[in-house]
Amino acid sequence: QVQLVESGGGVVQAGGSLRLSCKAARMTFSIDAGGWYRQAPGKQRELVAFINSRGSTNYAESVKGRFTISRDNAKNTVYLQMNSLQPEDTAVYYCYATGNGGYWGQGTQVTVSS
């Protein structure tokens, strides 16, 4: 079992920024591709951003130009830089990573106040 440790969530005012981190706790697991999903109350979990092993990225239309996904292979970590946050970005954010299997993080709450 691989544990993905997320950090960086919190409460921020509209227009603010947060940076989420997702680190694989087991160094024998190398992240091949990684992504961030989010789930707001009463809504389905949705893809926010994804980065593959070559560094190619894709984003949900709603976050394009505001969010940036990146990775540090040496630290076995995937990041999500979130700028210009809006109240509709409020959700629990989940990290997902593939390598030898696919794994989810425990989720981190992001709350954007108006």
Side-chain angles (χ1 to χ4, degrees):
Q1 188 67 22
V2 174
Q3 183 182 13
L4 298 176
V5 180
E6 300 164 359
S7 60
V11 180
V12 64
Q13 288 189 332
S17 298
L18 287 172
R19 187 194 194 202
L20 305 183
S21 299
C22 171
K23 181 176 176 60
R26 195 177 79 188
M27 292 308 295
T28 54
F29 173 80
S30 294
I31 294 176
D32 182 31
W36 291 94
Y37 292 72
R38 67 186 180 188
Q39 188 166 19
K43 294 187 177 181
Q44 290 188 334
R45 190 173 297 189
E46 63 174 357
L47 173 67
V48 175
F50 206 81
I51 185 167
N52 68 14
S53 59
R54 297 182 302 276
S56 296
T57 59
N58 62 74
Y59 297 91
E61 284 295 326
S62 60
V63 307
K64 280 184 179 178
R66 300 188 298 124
F67 292 10
T68 302
I69 189 170
S70 61
R71 60 189 298 164
D72 185 331
N73 292 334
K75 295 182 178 179
N76 220 11
T77 301
V78 175
Y79 302 97
L80 185 68
Q81 178 67 43
M82 305 185 294
N83 299 328
S84 302
L85 283 161
Q86 300 301 316
E88 52 265 35
D89 296 316
T90 295
V92 177
Y93 283 70
Y94 297 90
C95 172
Y96 178 75
T98 64
N100 183 18
Y103 301 91
W104 289 95
Q106 80 282 1
T108 185
Q109 177 70 46
V110 171
T111 302
V112 185
S113 61
S114 58

